[in-house]
Amino acid sequence: MADKNENEYEFEYTKVTKTTKVISGLSLLYGKELKEYDNIPIEDLLNQLSEEEIEQLINDVDPDDSHIPPSLRCREQTKKAPTGPLNREKLLEFLKNFALNQEDWPENKPFQPGVKRGAVWKPKETPKVSDEETRIMLDLDDESSEALKNATESDLVDLAGILGLHSMLNQDQFYASVTNKGQGSEAKFESIVKATVPKRVPNLPDNATDVGKTMKQVSEDDKKLQELNWNNIKHIPRDSFKKLFEGLKTNTTLTTLDLANTGLTDGPTAVLVEALKENKTLTCLNLESNFLSGSMVRDILAAINVNQVIREFRASNQRPAILGNRIEMEITKLVEANNSLIRLGLHLDAPDARTRVTQQIQKNTDALRLQRIGSKSTIPSQGKDLISV
């Protein structure tokens, strides 16, 4: 059995001890008794090695092992003694002269201008497909075949849009087919990637509303003036805003007030805050694209909650791009306390504020719908159950 086991191994065991085995003249450590070397300092082991053993140990080091310092991984192996100190300029000059004195590699064929060498690239020849092979055979009745045979290209474009082949049409052709407007005589399949030329729309005329006249009508409570639009009127004096808001306190006719892009600031708006606490007929207020601060927008919403008659309030695109988390949460609480607001044009960055405002607007819209259809019995008294705390 011993001879049979020895023949199964490539090396012959000549001597075996507790901790070493000799294989072809090499002593190798093995076995559990290796633990006794754990307590021996590595320095003592290295001191017992000869120079040849140390050289062999260094040569066996893995140069990619990052745990070994670079001085040992990339050691200098030059055994020739230096001829003198390093002179960088002389070294570069020597390398340059050595490169110039080197002979060029011999060419088997000398260079000739205009002569192409090597294989010339030729495109692959694609087999031509006849028209008969590319035809699609459709099983149609006689009437459909006759209709397609006599159809014009614009009719085919309209048919492609009806069938949903939008990749074959441009946007205008597909929209015309879906809306059943009909294709023009110039409709073709060639305009797949052609961009639609935008239509030139003339600029809107300037707002011709007379500021002084309408301001006087609001102050005098003119029954004919129910909607006032000062949008985009530039350079309105501050006193005009203040007089308008003072007249709004006693006005009982005006329902819509638009003051977008008029340069409105916090100073005159403070008078508007006081007017909103007294006015009970205004239902739509638009203050977009002005110079109102976040605290002023909050004060306006607080004034709206006094009578709760305004259903639409818009105040986006103001001087501060970001209202701030504290102002947004205060605005959210004010909106949750309002039971009449169904449209709010205001940008909020906080996700929690946007969610809570949307829920309250939805509650107000549902309550208004129930009131419109006559189910007043299902609406809580004074809307107390619709307020989110």
Side-chain angles (χ1 to χ4, degrees):
M1 292 296 291
D3 296 338
K4 184 177 180 181
N5 293 336
E6 289 177 359
N7 294 333
E8 293 180 358
Y9 298 96
E10 182 179 357
F11 301 102
E12 182 181 358
Y13 297 160
T14 58
K15 182 180 179 181
V16 178
T17 62
K18 289 184 178 180
T19 58
T20 62
K21 65 172 62 172
V22 180
I23 303 176
S24 300
L26 298 176
S27 299
L28 304 178
L29 298 177
Y30 85 103
K32 299 181 180 180
E33 285 76 7
L34 289 176
K35 294 182 179 180
E36 65 186 23
Y37 292 98
D38 294 342
N39 299 327
I40 299 176
I42 298 178
E43 291 77 5
D44 296 343
L45 294 178
L46 294 177
N47 292 333
Q48 298 176 6
L49 298 178
S50 61
E51 294 182 0
E52 297 179 355
E53 292 175 340
I54 292 177
E55 185 71 19
Q56 182 181 2
L57 180 62
I58 293 176
N59 292 332
D60 293 339
V61 171
D62 184 8
D64 296 331
D65 191 356
S66 60
H67 298 286
I68 302 175
S71 59
L72 297 179
R73 286 184 286 161
C74 305
R75 64 187 185 86
E76 185 181 0
Q77 299 181 1
T78 304
K79 298 180 180 180
K80 182 179 178 180
T83 58
L86 175 64
N87 191 334
R88 183 175 181 275
E89 296 180 358
K90 290 185 178 181
L91 178 60
L92 295 176
E93 187 67 23
F94 169 78
L95 295 176
K96 181 179 180 181
N97 295 332
F98 181 79
L100 293 176
N101 296 329
Q102 288 288 329
E103 296 181 0
D104 295 335
W105 294 347
E107 295 183 357
N108 296 329
K109 295 182 180 181
F111 172 74
Q112 298 178 3
V115 178
K116 295 183 179 180
R117 297 176 180 176
V120 180
W121 180 82
K122 295 182 180 180
K124 295 182 179 180
E125 296 181 359
T126 56
K128 296 183 179 180
V129 182
S130 61
D131 296 338
E132 296 181 356
E133 296 179 359
T134 57
R135 292 178 180 176
I136 301 176
M137 302 301 296
L138 298 177
D139 188 10
L140 301 175
D141 53 9
D142 296 339
E143 295 180 358
S144 301
S145 301
E146 189 67 23
L148 291 177
K149 184 183 298 184
N150 299 328
T152 60
E153 190 169 1
S154 60
D155 296 335
L156 296 178
V157 169
D158 200 4
L159 180 60
I162 295 173
L163 295 177
L165 305 177
H166 54 83
S167 60
M168 302 176 61
L169 312 174
N170 59 23
Q171 190 173 12
D172 293 338
Q173 292 173 348
F174 183 74
Y175 179 76
S177 62
V178 171
T179 56
N180 197 20
K181 291 184 178 181
Q183 303 292 338
S185 58
E186 70 282 356
K188 297 181 179 180
F189 287 104
E190 299 176 356
S191 56
I192 298 177
V193 295
K194 183 178 179 181
T196 303
V197 179
K199 298 180 180 179
R200 298 183 63 88
V201 180
N203 295 329
L204 295 176
D206 296 335
N207 195 341
T209 304
D210 190 347
V211 175
K213 180 180 179 181
T214 53
M215 177 182 59
K216 186 177 180 180
Q217 287 178 317
V218 173
S219 301
E220 296 177 355
D221 197 8
D222 190 354
K223 303 298 182 181
K224 298 180 180 180
L225 184 63
Q226 297 183 358
E227 297 182 0
L228 178 58
N229 185 354
W230 282 8
N231 291 345
N232 303 319
I233 299 180
K234 303 295 183 182
H235 311 297
I236 299 178
R238 294 167 58 92
D239 293 339
S240 299
F241 283 119
K242 291 182 179 180
K243 292 179 181 179
L244 173 66
F245 299 150
E246 287 290 345
L248 192 63
K249 293 181 179 180
T250 57
N251 187 279
T252 58
T253 306
L254 192 67
T255 59
T256 302
L257 179 60
D258 293 323
L259 300 176
N261 193 23
T262 55
L264 185 63
T265 57
D266 287 355
T269 311
V271 183
L272 175 63
V273 172
E274 300 299 327
L276 292 175
K277 295 179 181 179
E278 300 180 14
N279 187 280
K280 297 181 180 181
T281 57
L282 192 66
T283 59
C284 180
L285 179 62
N286 184 2
L287 303 177
E288 292 180 341
S289 302
N290 284 304
F291 300 94
L292 303 180
S293 62
S295 58
M296 181 54 64
V297 175
R298 176 200 58 196
D299 294 342
I300 293 174
L301 282 170
I304 290 174
N305 285 0
V306 174
N307 297 318
Q308 296 195 12
V309 293
I310 291 183
R311 296 187 176 183
E312 181 176 353
F313 174 61
R314 302 185 183 276
S316 60
N317 191 23
Q318 299 298 329
R319 178 181 59 185
I322 301 176
L323 299 177
N325 186 63
R326 181 177 63 84
I327 295 295
E328 288 186 3
M329 298 312 296
E330 292 178 359
I331 291 176
T332 302
K333 292 181 180 179
L334 292 172
V335 173
E336 289 178 337
N338 190 295
N339 299 322
S340 63
L341 202 62
I342 59 176
R343 290 186 182 89
L344 177 63
L346 191 63
H347 177 72
L348 302 175
D349 288 330
D352 180 50
R354 292 198 301 266
T355 303
R356 292 166 59 182
V357 168
T358 303
Q359 291 176 353
Q360 182 62 31
I361 295 297
Q362 184 63 39
K363 288 181 180 179
N364 296 343
T365 305
D366 293 341
L368 181 63
R369 178 181 58 83
L370 294 175
Q371 185 178 5
R372 185 175 62 251
I373 63 178
S375 302
K376 296 183 179 180
S377 59
T378 59
I379 302 177
S381 58
Q382 298 180 358
K384 294 183 180 179
D385 295 340
L386 297 179
I387 301 177
S388 300
V389 181

